[in-house]
Each structure stands twice: as C-alpha cells, then as structure tokens.
Amino acid sequence: ISISSLLLGTTITISSNHWMMAWTGLEINTLAILPLISKPHHPRAIEAATKYFLVQAAASTLLLFSSTTNALFTGQWDITQLTHPTSCLLLTTAISIKLGLVPFHFWFPEVLQGSSLMTSLLLTTAMKFPPITLLLMASPSLNHTLLTTMAIASAALGGWTGLNQTQVRKILAFSSISHLGWMTIIIIYNPKLTLITFYLYCMMTATAFLTLKTTKILKLSTMMAAWTKIPALSATLMLALLSLAGLPPLTGFLPKWLIIQELTKQEMTPMATIIALLSLLGLFFYLRLAYCATITLPPNSSNYMKQWRTNKPVSTLTATITTMTITLLPFSP
C-alpha cells in the first residue's frame, strides 16, 4: 500500500496543473513514506519519521499558503502562472525545505541516518522528484537571487559538513545536498539541464546504495573490512563514488560540465568558478570513501578478521546501473 501510494502521489504531483492537486500529491507522498521510515522498531527510526513528518508538513503548509496567496491576488490557480512576488518567495522557501537545500538542510542527514538503506535510497531519489518537478514548472517566476544564494550555500555546506562524517548514509546525505545545489543554480536558465542532472544523480546514488545494501555497509570501519566479500563490486563502488564526485571519464562529469558551460554562457562566470571549487570539497570525502572501499587495504591487526566471500550473486539491476554510472559519458550531446 505504501509503495503504491508513493507512486500515486508522485504521479499526481508531476501531472497536475492546479496547485491544490500538486499539494495533495505531496501530502500523499509524505504519508506513504512515513511507515517505510519507521518500519525498523528502533528509537532512531521513530525519531527520523517524526522529524521527516514535521518538516514536510511545514513545507506543504508553506506551499499551500503561497499558492492561496497567489490565487487571492491574481485569481490564478495554475502552477505556471505564479506571479505574485510574495508567493514566489514563499514557494522557493517551501520547495527548498522539501528538498533539503541549505539553510533548511538540517533534517535530511538525521532522517537518512535513522532509516534503512533502501528507504534512504527512496528518500534521496524518488522523494526529490515531485518538488523538483514543481520547481521546474514554476521556474520562470522564482526568485533569482534567493535561489542562487541557496544553491552556492548548499554546494558549500554539503561539502564542508560531509568532511568529518564516518557514517556512510550521512555522507551520502551531504553529497545529496551539494548535488541539489548544482541542480538549483541552473534551473532558471536551463530547466532541462536540471532534469538531466537529477536523473544522472538518481542513477549514481542508486548504484551507491544498492552496492552498500549488497555488502551490508553502514560505517566507514565496516567498509574497510568488507572488500573481501565481493571484491569486484567494491572496485566498481570506488568508480561509482568517483563518478558521483564528477571526475571526467565517468558519467558524473557530464552534468557538471554542461552546467558550468551554461553558467558561463549566462555570464555568471564567478558563480561557475565558485561552485566548481566547492565541488572539490565533495571530491575529498568521495575519495575518502573510495580509499576505504578499495584503494587502501586496512592494516591486519589481530582483531581484524577477513570476511567470507558471499555466494549470492549480485542482482542484474545493480550490475546494470553500476555500468551506466561508470560509462555514460560518451553519450553526452
């Protein structure tokens, strides 16, 4: 029931033209993911579900408020006809709370840390899709300065706060925040680029999460000991992480390249320079993850036991999206 409601809510939001319907879809989505977050009977999971619920409810209320304000002043309920400046500001805020952009990012790592790996995957990919679609449809009327400021801040904070984490889910949460910064900086100038970035990001994150689920990794320390389980998979995990970091021969380079090109076309070279430099922060913690996964084998102390190789095969899905994460760059336009 929860999964089908998730699909239903997403479909309602992305196919609606009326603000009320978009809001309804977002609400269905929120209510459907809550049982999935609180499914493991653990205080952390319940706490995560509560935080998620409160934040998303506040964001939905703001969204509803912005659309009703707009309807009050202009008589328009259409998503693309958001013209009143106050409601534009409110909508930008509401959607950035929903997505977890800086300065509204505090709930996101906590919620991810409290939920299981597959729920985290849903939260980082599927639950970002409806708000990004709304952002895309309302992109002509959004507040430029606010969006750009939040995007740069997200790229910066996502990089900085991810540096000293040891929990893999939190690291992926901060990486998600910095990627969202890349997506929102370009949405006013070229919305299609935002979608490409989002799709590729979803694919790369799915690779990371599915690999972690196969090898049952939650912390950096378990990651160091897990390379013996499926050596080939941890090698491709290293490549997938470097792809998330955006290194050239891999897929993750494509969106960053196109975004920087588009920003320089729009004569926003300072922004492009800043955000490119800020992605180095992200590169640092991806590199650290990659080091833990494969590059350095940990010192063989007496209490370190090599783990047995798993005999269950890696799923076809994981194999496919891993391959795509590593090799899609030549298909770029």
Side-chain angles (χ1 to χ4, degrees):
I1 291 176
S2 295
I3 301 276
S4 49
S5 310
L6 265 180
L7 288 170
L8 175 75
T10 309
T11 317
I12 289 178
T13 305
I14 62 180
S15 55
S16 61
N17 288 318
H18 194 288
W19 274 116
M20 285 302 282
M21 284 313 287
W23 172 79
T24 314
L26 288 171
E27 283 299 296
I28 294 176
N29 251 357
T30 306
L31 292 175
I33 194 96
L34 284 174
L36 293 177
I37 301 177
S38 56
K39 192 165 156 247
H41 284 291
H42 192 272
R44 282 305 288 268
I46 310 299
E47 183 193 352
T50 316
K51 280 179 181 169
Y52 186 77
F53 171 71
L54 291 173
V55 170
Q56 298 293 325
S60 294
T61 317
L62 263 181
L63 183 106
L64 197 58
F65 182 49
S66 96
S67 47
T68 20
T69 314
N70 189 57
L72 180 72
F73 283 108
T74 60
Q76 271 292 354
W77 276 103
D78 198 311
I79 291 185
T80 48
Q81 302 288 325
L82 194 79
T83 44
H84 193 260
T86 317
S87 42
C88 293
L89 205 69
L90 280 169
L91 176 83
T92 316
T93 317
I95 290 194
S96 47
I97 297 177
K98 274 224 168 282
L99 287 172
L101 278 171
V102 173
F104 311 108
H105 64 288
F106 294 102
W107 61 275
F108 192 51
E110 301 290 326
V111 171
L112 240 64
Q113 185 55 34
S115 45
S116 68
L117 279 171
M118 288 328 275
T119 316
S120 308
L121 173 60
L122 271 180
L123 282 168
T124 38
T125 55
M127 299 304 289
K128 303 271 188 216
F129 189 45
I132 284 218
T133 336
L134 285 180
L135 210 55
L136 202 76
M137 287 195 279
S139 60
S141 55
L142 294 173
N143 191 318
H144 288 216
T145 37
L146 182 65
L147 263 186
T148 313
T149 318
M150 288 204 300
I152 297 281
S154 298
L157 259 131
W160 265 312
T161 39
L163 292 180
N164 57 357
Q165 299 294 335
T166 55
Q167 300 284 344
V168 181
R169 280 170 295 184
K170 276 197 176 171
I171 294 183
L172 283 167
F174 287 119
S175 98
S176 172
I177 292 169
S178 57
H179 274 276
L180 277 169
W182 280 87
M183 286 173 222
T184 42
I185 199 166
I186 202 69
I187 196 156
I188 311 165
Y189 308 106
N190 194 339
K192 285 198 178 73
L193 256 185
T194 302
L195 271 188
I196 291 179
T197 315
F198 180 67
Y199 293 148
L200 290 178
Y201 162 73
C202 283
M203 192 177 68
M204 298 186 290
T205 314
T207 305
F209 273 116
L210 287 170
T211 310
L212 294 174
K213 188 177 185 306
T214 315
T215 46
K216 296 189 178 59
I217 297 173
L218 292 176
K219 295 197 295 288
L220 286 184
S221 50
T222 47
M223 197 175 204
M224 283 188 159
W227 65 274
T228 45
K229 282 185 183 175
I230 311 177
L233 193 62
S234 23
T236 47
L237 173 65
M238 176 189 86
L239 287 172
L241 287 166
L242 294 181
S243 181
L244 262 171
L247 288 185
L250 308 163
T251 312
F253 178 56
L254 166 65
K256 294 196 167 165
W257 180 23
L258 292 176
I259 285 176
I260 288 179
Q261 188 184 0
E262 183 65 34
L263 282 175
T264 32
K265 271 187 202 163
Q266 300 288 349
E267 294 177 356
M268 288 178 69
T269 324
M271 295 300 159
T273 318
I274 293 171
I275 203 164
L277 286 173
L278 287 173
S279 71
L280 286 175
L281 292 167
L283 177 64
F284 181 84
F285 61 77
Y286 291 123
L287 264 178
R288 200 175 65 176
L289 277 173
Y291 261 84
C292 288
T294 28
I295 305 176
T296 49
L297 300 181
N300 292 326
S301 57
S302 53
N303 59 4
Y304 163 71
M305 283 183 58
K306 276 204 171 68
Q307 293 178 330
W308 287 96
R309 285 205 179 189
T310 42
N311 53 5
K312 60 173 196 287
V314 180
S315 71
T316 335
L317 175 69
T318 315
T320 320
I321 62 172
T322 308
T323 316
M324 286 167 73
T325 298
I326 297 168
T327 55
L328 273 190
L329 187 65
F331 292 104
S332 57

